[in-house]
Amino acid sequence: MKGKDFLMKYSRIVILVLIMAGVSIASPDFLKPSNLLNVARQSSMLLIMSLGMTCAMLLGRGVDMSIGATLSLTSCVAAGFLRSNDTVGSVLIGIVIALVIGMFIGLINGVLISYLHLPAILVTYGVREIIRSVAFFYMDGDIISGFHKFVMFMGSGFAFGAIPTQIIIALVLTAATAWMLKHTRMGRELYVVGANPSAAKFSGLKAEKSVILGFVLSGALAALAGIVYLGRLGAAEAEIGNQFHFQCVSAVAIGGISFAGGAGSAWGAVIGALILNILINGMNLLNISSYWQGTVNGVIIIVAVLLDYVVRK
Amino acid sequence: MMKKTTLTMAAILTAAAVMTGCTSSAPTAPASSAAAGSDTAAAASGESYKIGVFTKDSTTAFWRYVVQGAMAKGEELGVEVIEYAPASYTDSAGQLSMVEDSISAGVDAICIASCDSTAIVPALEKATAAGIPVVIFNTLVPDFKDNITFVGVDNYDASYRVTEELIKAHDGKGNLVILEGDPAGYQNIERTRAVTDLAEKYPDVNIITRQPGYANREKSMNAMENILQAYSDIDMVWAINDVAAMGCVQAIEGAGRTGIDVIGIDGTPEGATAAKDGRLKFTIDQGPFDQGAMSVQAAVDYLNGKEIEENYATGGTIVGTDNADAFLQEFYPDFNK
Amino acid sequence: MGREVVLRAEKINKSFPGVKVLSDVSFDLEKGEVHILLGENGAGKSTLMKIFSGLYSVDSGNIYVNGEKVTIRNTKDSQNLGISIIYQEFDLVPYLTVAQNIFLGREPLKKNGSIDQAEMRKKSREYLEFLRANVDVDAKIFTLGVAQQQLVEVAKALSQDAKILIMDEPTATLSDSEIERLFETIRRLQQSGVSIIYISHRLQELKQIGTRVTVLRDGMTICTEDIQEISMDELVHRMVGREVSQERVRLENTARKEVALKVSHLNRKNVLKDVSIEVHKGEIVALAGLVGAGRTELVHAVFGIDKIDSGEIEISGKKMEKPTPGKCVKSGLGLLPESRKENGLSLTLPIFQNTSQAAMERITKRGILNLKKERQVAEKYIKQLNIVCTGPELEPLYMSGGNQQKVVIGKWLFTESDVLIFDEPTRGIDVGAREEIYHIIDNLAKEGAAILVISSDLPEVLTISDRIYVMREGRIAGEINYEDASQELIMSYASGGRE
């Protein structure tokens, strides 16, 4: 019985290694340092978003469909602010603005889901549509570009010479999230409320608090991703961020999140994001049509859900 | 009891979500140039016509400029310009409904840049049958023969000119990457055809790969990053438009690669600024303001019984580092201020 | 009422893993009689009925219907033999109509294969008329009251040509006048040749409707008598009178003067009626009664899980306004719920995350968890409570019922609560672990905790309690001190034999 858990824990790393081996055999370009760095870079954005998704999904209420829209709105509003303010200090204020917006969206999600007992997937879908419209109205077709170099540094710069800053930011956020989930009471309550909401209630815990927290964290991380994305794309558009939630669900699913709640980890999200991007990278290197990427994504989600269901039986 | 409430709320929310999704293809608050100085202008043209201007989407900057040009012309001529645009250029069905709705609403003329040049045909035929003149701008609709004129850039031409400029700047040789848009799109087919023709004309130019970025910044950027991995020797990158081109530029700069020239099409202020800063090699102006303005002009002239041309060419200026500043000053003085 | 035997069970034996539920049970049903089946919870009544209705198979023994030996393999076999059962929670589909429910799964079809609605409604009307039921065949079930729904169930049984009808606690949710009408219906059924097995705890009505009565206890047939020839007291005695009684664990009554838990005039519509109880520090009070008497509902109301209409709750003298579980825990009240797997434990989280769950503030400093301390706490209770596990990181999912319950106890011990409520603490737990739990509870009381134990196991009640409240139909039917208590006395309060 313990063996099953051990397998669960390390199976993902094993799968990661196997996939890397497979892809590098199929395409020698894979192991080129610049390619690996590229994959790591592309995984960074997905990873930050997946951290947020993990926090939300730990509660077992369902997925957060609004993260892509939150990313878009926060990056647009921050860009709007940064357009006319060009100092490092204003970059920090821009980050704060983005966080406030992201957390507010998360708050709305959390309140509707916890107090009104509405299914998360529907609530966040509705919120997403609203946020999208807000972003469109705000940008009114504009593109904002040309940011302070600190922003660009975060998104596409290199620290210590050769390491892309995005990766460092993503890893720092992962470590912070992992620490929070394991070592803080509020992080623990996410697991407890998700694993068995009824037992949590009978233990005197308030589920609403944790549900709101989970979605606020999701919004906050999407907002941080929004800032990094500004640096990565070099521009803000209302249309961005559409691809993310499906990839996120795949990534966290591979990473071991249980759709029923109560299980999952920040480092699991790392593995999930990496595996997903390595598969996509492999397909690109082998010149497999990008049309297949949707299929791969879909198959992964289904397999992950099935495995989760089977293992839990 | 709880289950019932949850189900009802879920149903309501789903309906709301669906409706919100639907309304995104409704006309974005039909903006019109309610003729302010209408007395003089109305006297001049006789009556206040309603001109429907249909752009591909309501969110991309390019189409905002088209609409600005159209609105300005509308004010000048004393006619009402109504804008119709879906939220995304992929929503051809939405645009079709808009055309039909505008016919019911009694527009006097239709100026349209179609999202899908095959799907839109039946709607345009309805317009003609209702006696409404149709101006096609920006993107040809080959299967519809009854338009009164075409306003805009010949896609093939524009692509040809700016690409040749790039090739010449490389002495007629080098490795070229095509970062195309939607492979099935008419505009894409025309624009890329120019590139492949040029590659034949200049035998020392190699098209080493061709990937779709769907005219989307993020997707183009991702595609470019992957291409950079696969190919160590790239000289030139052709992108379907400025937005895609900027995605490529970001990818290249993000990877720390140098010596690659990227070109775009559309002449957006973002592209021009990038050209000014030396990040983008060339872009070519499509003349969005003119596309809007001249379409309206042609429509109104037609309604007033005047003779109009078969084609009105707009834009055409190749924007590079030398002339970018002047270009920006002339057309987009307020950009990024 | 003839002597013809329509249903006979002969020496039925049935076991489930680890427990023998029926031992050599014999039972017979005469045509046209109302045969009452009596016994406390766990006596084997429902198992026997499930065997008749095809849900369980027998390990050994024979069943005869109308004199012929039969094998009932599934519910269809049972129905084909003319046996129909009406459960306490009706088996009706709320959003379908009366007619649709009566013929559910057996709808009359037209030649072309579609449902013959007219025929369905006509026949339904016939059955309902026979029962003198004032029910519209097109009414949706959820619009009907309980008594009417019950009549629909009877009509359904009739439509299946039932000659043997089993009714499980039919009067539990009916008003007095509705009970009268039901009895009239039953008499009518008797006259038309239907034989009825009638399960009920409500001793006061048995003489009105019953013909004979059979008492089951601990899976054995104790006796079968003519209802008119046996007294209520005698019946109660047969239900609970045991030769061997459990040894008393609670040797000393350590109750103190101070009242730790005081509940005054608690009311909740249809569930609790003017309930008042008290538990002193150092005292173990048992809450006895039959299933459905309202005991769990009472403690859920006290703990803030369910709402109340009126009444007061005081914990250690402090009045609780609008209690919530969180507030209760902070005030020193803990509850070990009846469903330990659903409500008592997080099965998929390790033991140490369970033991800390109700008192996380004790391992948290400025928002940060002291994981080392948390583990130590778990290890302490593993040792103290003799929990069998591979270590504090094991998930309770893999543990036996007894050990799971010990984890729950550990959780509440960690809260250092002044008042603890145990709801059926030894259900589904082996004898060895039971003993351990009794001692744990005894020790807690000795150390000054106020304990309230809900238990349906009468010997258990007598093993550990100082005082006993008996609940019946949502109210306190009686209060007994241990010295005066006996199983018969408790049961007679619980079933209305004494009022």
Side-chain angles (χ1 to χ4, degrees), chain B residues 16-30:
Chain B
V18 167
M19 287 199 294
T20 325
C22 281
T23 51
S24 63
S25 59
T28 49

Side-chain angles (χ1 to χ4, degrees), chain C residues 339-353:
Chain C
S339 323
R340 77 181 75 99
K341 287 201 228 180
E342 283 86 32
N343 301 328
L345 286 173
S346 306
L347 292 172
T348 53
L349 298 180
I351 292 177
F352 67 86
Q353 289 187 8

